[in-house]
Amino acid sequence: MRADGTFIAIEVDDAAAKDAELARKLTEACPVDIFAQGTGGELELVRGNLDECVLCRLCLDAAGPAAVKVIKLYDDAALLV
Ligand code: SF4
């Protein structure tokens, strides 16, 4: 799954997005509520919050860079590492 804001896009591996435990971790980790959980526990991306990303890397720590990518659209789509 992927959602694009003006400055930031978030891409999450589709299998990871269905993992309720991972979704819970991401929802807890992000300080600006970019991640949420749907009624079935699956991950949802909150489009209205994407550009609030503070590049803190907590989502990468929680899920690993293979599962979550933070894409800096304002910087030629460079990945947050
Ligand atoms: S880098 Fe930080 S603010 Fe940005 S999506 Fe990840 S946890 Fe949220």
Side-chain angles (χ1 to χ4, degrees):
M1 66 170 26
R2 174 171 169 154
D4 288 48
T6 302
F7 305 109
I8 292 288
I10 303 285
E11 190 172 305
V12 182
D13 174 79
D14 284 335
K18 292 183 184 131
D19 180 336
E21 177 59 16
L22 189 63
R24 185 190 64 75
K25 279 192 202 169
L26 285 168
T27 302
E28 280 185 11
C30 181
V32 294
D33 297 332
I34 285 172
F35 304 99
Q37 278 187 282
T39 50
E42 76 283 2
L43 187 68
E44 292 182 347
L45 296 173
V46 182
R47 287 175 190 275
N49 290 348
L50 288 170
D51 288 328
E52 304 300 320
C53 176
V54 292
L55 308 176
C56 66
R57 298 181 175 79
L58 291 174
C59 56
L60 303 183
D61 291 345
V68 174
K69 292 182 172 56
V70 178
I71 302 159
K72 297 186 272 186
L73 299 174
Y74 62 88
D75 186 15
D76 284 334
L79 292 182
L80 178 66
V81 291

